[in-house]
Amino acid sequence: MDRLADRFRAMPQSRLLGAVPGHPSRAAAVLALAGRLADAARALEGLPPLPVPDCGAFAVGDQLAVTGHDLAAAAADRPETLAAALDDVADTDRLTA
């Protein structure tokens, strides 16, 4: 996840805004991933889902890092949840390559 977040932090605007299957842009695909990770973390903590705000294409790397680390902390004793999240991260990595 950190590798993908770093890739998005360094990505030029033209690539960030480029469309990928199912999303209007690479940034939108990563924002959707950040939302899924945040929802999973909040569910483990017994909280309702909240949307991850769209802070612009240049923020998605940071949003991914924060939501991913939050999920890792919440799911430290839930290897199945972490495995599912890592699969989702890998799928998004391939989609946005």
Side-chain angles (χ1 to χ4, degrees):
M1 173 193 16
D2 286 333
R3 184 182 58 77
L4 183 59
D6 287 343
R7 182 163 60 92
F8 271 82
R9 288 179 181 127
M11 194 175 285
Q13 183 177 11
S14 60
R15 294 229 353 119
L16 282 169
L17 299 179
V20 293
H23 300 279
S25 68
R26 285 177 178 83
V30 171
L31 182 61
L33 171 61
R36 292 190 298 274
L37 297 176
D39 288 349
R42 290 183 61 82
L44 290 174
E45 295 168 348
L47 299 169
L50 290 174
V52 173
D54 185 348
C55 297
F58 291 113
V60 296
D62 292 332
Q63 290 175 298
L64 175 60
V66 168
T67 57
H69 285 273
D70 286 350
L71 177 57
D77 61 346
R78 307 254 175 126
E80 69 284 349
T81 300
L82 290 174
L86 288 174
D87 287 344
D88 198 3
V89 169
D91 290 345
T92 302
D93 188 16
R94 283 188 293 277
L95 177 70
T96 61

PDB file of all heavy atoms in Angstrom, residues 1-9 30-31 33-35 37-38 52 59-73 89:
ATOM      1  N   MET A   1       0.811  -1.176   0.000  1.00  0.00           N
ATOM      2  CA  MET A   1       0.000   0.000   0.000  1.00  0.00           C
ATOM      3  C   MET A   1       0.861   1.249   0.000  1.00  0.00           C
ATOM      4  O   MET A   1       0.567   2.193  -0.727  1.00  0.00           O
ATOM      5  CB  MET A   1      -0.907  -0.035   1.220  1.00  0.00           C
ATOM      6  CG  MET A   1      -1.672   1.206   1.391  1.00  0.00           C
ATOM      7  SD  MET A   1      -2.457   1.339   2.965  1.00  0.00           S
ATOM      8  CE  MET A   1      -1.694   0.155   3.968  1.00  0.00           C
ATOM      9  N   ASP A   2       1.923   1.244   0.791  1.00  0.00           N
ATOM     10  CA  ASP A   2       2.804   2.413   0.811  1.00  0.00           C
ATOM     11  C   ASP A   2       3.451   2.647  -0.551  1.00  0.00           C
ATOM     12  O   ASP A   2       3.606   3.790  -0.977  1.00  0.00           O
ATOM     13  CB  ASP A   2       3.881   2.265   1.883  1.00  0.00           C
ATOM     14  CG  ASP A   2       3.336   2.464   3.285  1.00  0.00           C
ATOM     15  OD1 ASP A   2       2.327   3.186   3.443  1.00  0.00           O
ATOM     16  OD2 ASP A   2       3.917   1.901   4.238  1.00  0.00           O
ATOM     17  N   ARG A   3       3.793   1.555  -1.231  1.00  0.00           N
ATOM     18  CA  ARG A   3       4.384   1.693  -2.568  1.00  0.00           C
ATOM     19  C   ARG A   3       3.392   2.339  -3.527  1.00  0.00           C
ATOM     20  O   ARG A   3       3.742   3.244  -4.290  1.00  0.00           O
ATOM     21  CB  ARG A   3       4.834   0.324  -3.087  1.00  0.00           C
ATOM     22  CG  ARG A   3       5.556   0.390  -4.427  1.00  0.00           C
ATOM     23  CD  ARG A   3       5.954  -0.997  -4.939  1.00  0.00           C
ATOM     24  NE  ARG A   3       4.832  -1.902  -5.088  1.00  0.00           N
ATOM     25  CZ  ARG A   3       3.962  -1.871  -6.099  1.00  0.00           C
ATOM     26  NH1 ARG A   3       4.069  -0.967  -7.051  1.00  0.00           N
ATOM     27  NH2 ARG A   3       2.983  -2.742  -6.160  1.00  0.00           N
ATOM     28  N   LEU A   4       2.137   1.912  -3.479  1.00  0.00           N
ATOM     29  CA  LEU A   4       1.114   2.495  -4.349  1.00  0.00           C
ATOM     30  C   LEU A   4       0.862   3.957  -3.968  1.00  0.00           C
ATOM     31  O   LEU A   4       0.756   4.819  -4.847  1.00  0.00           O
ATOM     32  CB  LEU A   4      -0.183   1.687  -4.266  1.00  0.00           C
ATOM     33  CG  LEU A   4      -1.328   2.139  -5.171  1.00  0.00           C
ATOM     34  CD1 LEU A   4      -0.925   2.098  -6.642  1.00  0.00           C
ATOM     35  CD2 LEU A   4      -2.561   1.287  -4.929  1.00  0.00           C
ATOM     36  N   ALA A   5       0.804   4.244  -2.686  1.00  0.00           N
ATOM     37  CA  ALA A   5       0.618   5.631  -2.248  1.00  0.00           C
ATOM     38  C   ALA A   5       1.768   6.503  -2.741  1.00  0.00           C
ATOM     39  O   ALA A   5       1.541   7.609  -3.253  1.00  0.00           O
ATOM     40  CB  ALA A   5       0.510   5.689  -0.727  1.00  0.00           C
ATOM     41  N   ASP A   6       2.988   6.014  -2.620  1.00  0.00           N
ATOM     42  CA  ASP A   6       4.145   6.781  -3.091  1.00  0.00           C
ATOM     43  C   ASP A   6       4.093   7.002  -4.602  1.00  0.00           C
ATOM     44  O   ASP A   6       4.453   8.061  -5.103  1.00  0.00           O
ATOM     45  CB  ASP A   6       5.450   6.095  -2.708  1.00  0.00           C
ATOM     46  CG  ASP A   6       5.768   6.216  -1.237  1.00  0.00           C
ATOM     47  OD1 ASP A   6       5.174   7.076  -0.544  1.00  0.00           O
ATOM     48  OD2 ASP A   6       6.619   5.427  -0.747  1.00  0.00           O
ATOM     49  N   ARG A   7       3.655   5.976  -5.330  1.00  0.00           N
ATOM     50  CA  ARG A   7       3.547   6.117  -6.782  1.00  0.00           C
ATOM     51  C   ARG A   7       2.573   7.236  -7.139  1.00  0.00           C
ATOM     52  O   ARG A   7       2.825   8.037  -8.036  1.00  0.00           O
ATOM     53  CB  ARG A   7       3.106   4.796  -7.423  1.00  0.00           C
ATOM     54  CG  ARG A   7       3.023   4.868  -8.943  1.00  0.00           C
ATOM     55  CD  ARG A   7       2.989   3.523  -9.612  1.00  0.00           C
ATOM     56  NE  ARG A   7       1.892   2.672  -9.265  1.00  0.00           N
ATOM     57  CZ  ARG A   7       0.726   2.620  -9.923  1.00  0.00           C
ATOM     58  NH1 ARG A   7       0.499   3.391 -10.959  1.00  0.00           N
ATOM     59  NH2 ARG A   7      -0.207   1.778  -9.548  1.00  0.00           N
ATOM     60  N   PHE A   8       1.468   7.304  -6.409  1.00  0.00           N
ATOM     61  CA  PHE A   8       0.480   8.350  -6.693  1.00  0.00           C
ATOM     62  C   PHE A   8       0.948   9.718  -6.226  1.00  0.00           C
ATOM     63  O   PHE A   8       0.605  10.720  -6.833  1.00  0.00           O
ATOM     64  CB  PHE A   8      -0.888   7.977  -6.117  1.00  0.00           C
ATOM     65  CG  PHE A   8      -1.680   7.184  -7.100  1.00  0.00           C
ATOM     66  CD1 PHE A   8      -1.477   5.825  -7.233  1.00  0.00           C
ATOM     67  CD2 PHE A   8      -2.568   7.801  -7.956  1.00  0.00           C
ATOM     68  CE1 PHE A   8      -2.162   5.091  -8.180  1.00  0.00           C
ATOM     69  CE2 PHE A   8      -3.266   7.083  -8.913  1.00  0.00           C
ATOM     70  CZ  PHE A   8      -3.059   5.725  -9.028  1.00  0.00           C
ATOM     71  N   ARG A   9       1.733   9.777  -5.200  1.00  0.00           N
ATOM     72  CA  ARG A   9       2.278  11.063  -4.759  1.00  0.00           C
ATOM     73  C   ARG A   9       3.219  11.656  -5.808  1.00  0.00           C
ATOM     74  O   ARG A   9       3.333  12.869  -5.932  1.00  0.00           O
ATOM     75  CB  ARG A   9       3.020  10.891  -3.439  1.00  0.00           C
ATOM     76  CG  ARG A   9       2.123  10.660  -2.245  1.00  0.00           C
ATOM     77  CD  ARG A   9       2.961  10.473  -0.993  1.00  0.00           C
ATOM     78  NE  ARG A   9       2.142  10.224   0.170  1.00  0.00           N
ATOM     79  CZ  ARG A   9       2.309   9.196   0.981  1.00  0.00           C
ATOM     80  NH1 ARG A   9       3.279   8.318   0.788  1.00  0.00           N
ATOM     81  NH2 ARG A   9       1.520   9.049   2.030  1.00  0.00           N
ATOM     82  N   VAL A  30      -8.176   5.373  -7.036  1.00  0.00           N
ATOM     83  CA  VAL A  30      -7.492   5.291  -5.743  1.00  0.00           C
ATOM     84  C   VAL A  30      -8.353   5.896  -4.640  1.00  0.00           C
ATOM     85  O   VAL A  30      -8.374   5.386  -3.519  1.00  0.00           O
ATOM     86  CB  VAL A  30      -6.099   5.936  -5.820  1.00  0.00           C
ATOM     87  CG1 VAL A  30      -5.460   6.063  -4.453  1.00  0.00           C
ATOM     88  CG2 VAL A  30      -5.207   5.090  -6.716  1.00  0.00           C
ATOM     89  N   LEU A  31      -9.094   6.950  -4.939  1.00  0.00           N
ATOM     90  CA  LEU A  31     -10.003   7.512  -3.945  1.00  0.00           C
ATOM     91  C   LEU A  31     -11.071   6.483  -3.568  1.00  0.00           C
ATOM     92  O   LEU A  31     -11.417   6.346  -2.388  1.00  0.00           O
ATOM     93  CB  LEU A  31     -10.649   8.790  -4.468  1.00  0.00           C
ATOM     94  CG  LEU A  31     -11.586   9.502  -3.498  1.00  0.00           C
ATOM     95  CD1 LEU A  31     -10.851   9.946  -2.236  1.00  0.00           C
ATOM     96  CD2 LEU A  31     -12.238  10.701  -4.182  1.00  0.00           C
ATOM     97  N   LEU A  33     -10.684   3.232  -3.644  1.00  0.00           N
ATOM     98  CA  LEU A  33      -9.983   2.260  -2.804  1.00  0.00           C
ATOM     99  C   LEU A  33      -9.843   2.803  -1.384  1.00  0.00           C
ATOM    100  O   LEU A  33     -10.108   2.082  -0.411  1.00  0.00           O
ATOM    101  CB  LEU A  33      -8.606   1.940  -3.397  1.00  0.00           C
ATOM    102  CG  LEU A  33      -7.669   1.105  -2.520  1.00  0.00           C
ATOM    103  CD1 LEU A  33      -8.253  -0.263  -2.216  1.00  0.00           C
ATOM    104  CD2 LEU A  33      -6.301   0.986  -3.185  1.00  0.00           C
ATOM    105  N   ALA A  34      -9.430   4.049  -1.245  1.00  0.00           N
ATOM    106  CA  ALA A  34      -9.297   4.651   0.085  1.00  0.00           C
ATOM    107  C   ALA A  34     -10.629   4.603   0.832  1.00  0.00           C
ATOM    108  O   ALA A  34     -10.666   4.326   2.035  1.00  0.00           O
ATOM    109  CB  ALA A  34      -8.790   6.084  -0.033  1.00  0.00           C
ATOM    110  N   GLY A  35     -11.721   4.831   0.121  1.00  0.00           N
ATOM    111  CA  GLY A  35     -13.039   4.757   0.739  1.00  0.00           C
ATOM    112  C   GLY A  35     -13.358   3.356   1.231  1.00  0.00           C
ATOM    113  O   GLY A  35     -13.902   3.186   2.331  1.00  0.00           O
ATOM    114  N   LEU A  37     -11.185   1.038   2.097  1.00  0.00           N
ATOM    115  CA  LEU A  37     -10.327   0.753   3.242  1.00  0.00           C
ATOM    116  C   LEU A  37     -10.852   1.458   4.493  1.00  0.00           C
ATOM    117  O   LEU A  37     -10.879   0.870   5.584  1.00  0.00           O
ATOM    118  CB  LEU A  37      -8.890   1.183   2.948  1.00  0.00           C
ATOM    119  CG  LEU A  37      -8.184   0.467   1.789  1.00  0.00           C
ATOM    120  CD1 LEU A  37      -6.803   1.066   1.566  1.00  0.00           C
ATOM    121  CD2 LEU A  37      -8.106  -1.029   2.024  1.00  0.00           C
ATOM    122  N   ALA A  38     -11.270   2.711   4.342  1.00  0.00           N
ATOM    123  CA  ALA A  38     -11.810   3.451   5.479  1.00  0.00           C
ATOM    124  C   ALA A  38     -13.091   2.798   5.996  1.00  0.00           C
ATOM    125  O   ALA A  38     -13.278   2.666   7.214  1.00  0.00           O
ATOM    126  CB  ALA A  38     -12.083   4.899   5.075  1.00  0.00           C
ATOM    127  N   VAL A  52     -14.877   9.296   2.118  1.00  0.00           N
ATOM    128  CA  VAL A  52     -13.568   9.939   2.103  1.00  0.00           C
ATOM    129  C   VAL A  52     -13.719  11.140   1.180  1.00  0.00           C
ATOM    130  O   VAL A  52     -14.128  10.988   0.033  1.00  0.00           O
ATOM    131  CB  VAL A  52     -12.474   8.975   1.597  1.00  0.00           C
ATOM    132  CG1 VAL A  52     -11.148   9.694   1.421  1.00  0.00           C
ATOM    133  CG2 VAL A  52     -12.328   7.793   2.551  1.00  0.00           C
ATOM    134  N   ALA A  59      -4.020  14.657  -3.765  1.00  0.00           N
ATOM    135  CA  ALA A  59      -4.129  14.196  -2.379  1.00  0.00           C
ATOM    136  C   ALA A  59      -4.373  12.704  -2.248  1.00  0.00           C
ATOM    137  O   ALA A  59      -4.264  12.156  -1.149  1.00  0.00           O
ATOM    138  CB  ALA A  59      -5.248  14.949  -1.675  1.00  0.00           C
ATOM    139  N   VAL A  60      -4.676  12.005  -3.338  1.00  0.00           N
ATOM    140  CA  VAL A  60      -5.094  10.605  -3.207  1.00  0.00           C
ATOM    141  C   VAL A  60      -4.004   9.695  -2.651  1.00  0.00           C
ATOM    142  O   VAL A  60      -4.308   8.739  -1.952  1.00  0.00           O
ATOM    143  CB  VAL A  60      -5.670  10.031  -4.523  1.00  0.00           C
ATOM    144  CG1 VAL A  60      -6.941  10.752  -4.925  1.00  0.00           C
ATOM    145  CG2 VAL A  60      -4.656  10.020  -5.634  1.00  0.00           C
ATOM    146  N   GLY A  61      -2.753   9.979  -2.926  1.00  0.00           N
ATOM    147  CA  GLY A  61      -1.679   9.166  -2.357  1.00  0.00           C
ATOM    148  C   GLY A  61      -1.689   9.243  -0.841  1.00  0.00           C
ATOM    149  O   GLY A  61      -1.586   8.219  -0.147  1.00  0.00           O
ATOM    150  N   ASP A  62      -1.828  10.437  -0.315  1.00  0.00           N
ATOM    151  CA  ASP A  62      -1.889  10.614   1.138  1.00  0.00           C
ATOM    152  C   ASP A  62      -3.154   9.990   1.722  1.00  0.00           C
ATOM    153  O   ASP A  62      -3.111   9.357   2.782  1.00  0.00           O
ATOM    154  CB  ASP A  62      -1.819  12.093   1.509  1.00  0.00           C
ATOM    155  CG  ASP A  62      -0.465  12.702   1.213  1.00  0.00           C
ATOM    156  OD1 ASP A  62       0.553  11.969   1.238  1.00  0.00           O
ATOM    157  OD2 ASP A  62      -0.416  13.915   0.944  1.00  0.00           O
ATOM    158  N   GLN A  63      -4.271  10.140   1.024  1.00  0.00           N
ATOM    159  CA  GLN A  63      -5.515   9.555   1.512  1.00  0.00           C
ATOM    160  C   GLN A  63      -5.424   8.028   1.547  1.00  0.00           C
ATOM    161  O   GLN A  63      -5.907   7.404   2.487  1.00  0.00           O
ATOM    162  CB  GLN A  63      -6.694  10.010   0.647  1.00  0.00           C
ATOM    163  CG  GLN A  63      -7.021  11.480   0.851  1.00  0.00           C
ATOM    164  CD  GLN A  63      -8.103  11.957  -0.090  1.00  0.00           C
ATOM    165  OE1 GLN A  63      -7.939  11.936  -1.304  1.00  0.00           O
ATOM    166  NE2 GLN A  63      -9.220  12.390   0.489  1.00  0.00           N
ATOM    167  N   LEU A  64      -4.792   7.453   0.558  1.00  0.00           N
ATOM    168  CA  LEU A  64      -4.603   6.005   0.549  1.00  0.00           C
ATOM    169  C   LEU A  64      -3.720   5.576   1.715  1.00  0.00           C
ATOM    170  O   LEU A  64      -4.033   4.608   2.416  1.00  0.00           O
ATOM    171  CB  LEU A  64      -3.993   5.553  -0.778  1.00  0.00           C
ATOM    172  CG  LEU A  64      -3.633   4.077  -0.873  1.00  0.00           C
ATOM    173  CD1 LEU A  64      -4.870   3.198  -0.685  1.00  0.00           C
ATOM    174  CD2 LEU A  64      -2.961   3.780  -2.196  1.00  0.00           C
ATOM    175  N   ALA A  65      -2.631   6.285   1.936  1.00  0.00           N
ATOM    176  CA  ALA A  65      -1.726   5.926   3.032  1.00  0.00           C
ATOM    177  C   ALA A  65      -2.441   5.993   4.381  1.00  0.00           C
ATOM    178  O   ALA A  65      -2.329   5.072   5.203  1.00  0.00           O
ATOM    179  CB  ALA A  65      -0.508   6.835   3.016  1.00  0.00           C
ATOM    180  N   VAL A  66      -3.185   7.051   4.617  1.00  0.00           N
ATOM    181  CA  VAL A  66      -3.866   7.219   5.905  1.00  0.00           C
ATOM    182  C   VAL A  66      -4.920   6.142   6.119  1.00  0.00           C
ATOM    183  O   VAL A  66      -4.966   5.493   7.170  1.00  0.00           O
ATOM    184  CB  VAL A  66      -4.493   8.625   6.016  1.00  0.00           C
ATOM    185  CG1 VAL A  66      -5.436   8.725   7.207  1.00  0.00           C
ATOM    186  CG2 VAL A  66      -3.401   9.672   6.115  1.00  0.00           C
ATOM    187  N   THR A  67      -5.776   5.918   5.123  1.00  0.00           N
ATOM    188  CA  THR A  67      -6.849   4.938   5.296  1.00  0.00           C
ATOM    189  C   THR A  67      -6.293   3.523   5.383  1.00  0.00           C
ATOM    190  O   THR A  67      -6.794   2.705   6.142  1.00  0.00           O
ATOM    191  CB  THR A  67      -7.899   5.037   4.180  1.00  0.00           C
ATOM    192  OG1 THR A  67      -7.266   4.862   2.907  1.00  0.00           O
ATOM    193  CG2 THR A  67      -8.617   6.375   4.215  1.00  0.00           C
ATOM    194  N   GLY A  68      -5.233   3.246   4.635  1.00  0.00           N
ATOM    195  CA  GLY A  68      -4.617   1.923   4.708  1.00  0.00           C
ATOM    196  C   GLY A  68      -3.989   1.657   6.060  1.00  0.00           C
ATOM    197  O   GLY A  68      -4.139   0.561   6.623  1.00  0.00           O
ATOM    198  N   HIS A  69      -3.310   2.646   6.603  1.00  0.00           N
ATOM    199  CA  HIS A  69      -2.698   2.477   7.923  1.00  0.00           C
ATOM    200  C   HIS A  69      -3.765   2.370   9.013  1.00  0.00           C
ATOM    201  O   HIS A  69      -3.601   1.599   9.970  1.00  0.00           O
ATOM    202  CB  HIS A  69      -1.714   3.608   8.207  1.00  0.00           C
ATOM    203  CG  HIS A  69      -0.435   3.462   7.450  1.00  0.00           C
ATOM    204  ND1 HIS A  69       0.633   2.725   7.913  1.00  0.00           N
ATOM    205  CD2 HIS A  69      -0.067   3.925   6.230  1.00  0.00           C
ATOM    206  CE1 HIS A  69       1.603   2.752   7.026  1.00  0.00           C
ATOM    207  NE2 HIS A  69       1.207   3.470   5.990  1.00  0.00           N
ATOM    208  N   ASP A  70      -4.851   3.119   8.864  1.00  0.00           N
ATOM    209  CA  ASP A  70      -5.955   3.002   9.824  1.00  0.00           C
ATOM    210  C   ASP A  70      -6.533   1.586   9.811  1.00  0.00           C
ATOM    211  O   ASP A  70      -6.794   1.006  10.869  1.00  0.00           O
ATOM    212  CB  ASP A  70      -7.066   4.006   9.512  1.00  0.00           C
ATOM    213  CG  ASP A  70      -6.715   5.434   9.890  1.00  0.00           C
ATOM    214  OD1 ASP A  70      -5.684   5.653  10.568  1.00  0.00           O
ATOM    215  OD2 ASP A  70      -7.479   6.344   9.493  1.00  0.00           O
ATOM    216  N   LEU A  71      -6.723   1.035   8.617  1.00  0.00           N
ATOM    217  CA  LEU A  71      -7.244  -0.325   8.527  1.00  0.00           C
ATOM    218  C   LEU A  71      -6.251  -1.319   9.110  1.00  0.00           C
ATOM    219  O   LEU A  71      -6.637  -2.239   9.835  1.00  0.00           O
ATOM    220  CB  LEU A  71      -7.586  -0.696   7.086  1.00  0.00           C
ATOM    221  CG  LEU A  71      -8.081  -2.136   6.889  1.00  0.00           C
ATOM    222  CD1 LEU A  71      -9.315  -2.417   7.747  1.00  0.00           C
ATOM    223  CD2 LEU A  71      -8.355  -2.408   5.432  1.00  0.00           C
ATOM    224  N   ALA A  72      -4.982  -1.159   8.819  1.00  0.00           N
ATOM    225  CA  ALA A  72      -3.972  -2.082   9.363  1.00  0.00           C
ATOM    226  C   ALA A  72      -4.002  -2.083  10.888  1.00  0.00           C
ATOM    227  O   ALA A  72      -3.899  -3.139  11.518  1.00  0.00           O
ATOM    228  CB  ALA A  72      -2.589  -1.717   8.845  1.00  0.00           C
ATOM    229  N   ALA A  73      -4.176  -0.918  11.490  1.00  0.00           N
ATOM    230  CA  ALA A  73      -4.239  -0.835  12.950  1.00  0.00           C
ATOM    231  C   ALA A  73      -5.515  -1.487  13.486  1.00  0.00           C
ATOM    232  O   ALA A  73      -5.480  -2.218  14.482  1.00  0.00           O
ATOM    233  CB  ALA A  73      -4.155   0.618  13.398  1.00  0.00           C
ATOM    234  N   VAL A  89      -5.894  -3.668  -2.849  1.00  0.00           N
ATOM    235  CA  VAL A  89      -4.791  -2.761  -3.186  1.00  0.00           C
ATOM    236  C   VAL A  89      -4.067  -3.265  -4.434  1.00  0.00           C
ATOM    237  O   VAL A  89      -3.771  -2.486  -5.343  1.00  0.00           O
ATOM    238  CB  VAL A  89      -3.818  -2.611  -1.994  1.00  0.00           C
ATOM    239  CG1 VAL A  89      -2.537  -1.901  -2.405  1.00  0.00           C
ATOM    240  CG2 VAL A  89      -4.495  -1.866  -0.843  1.00  0.00           C
TER     241      VAL A  89
END
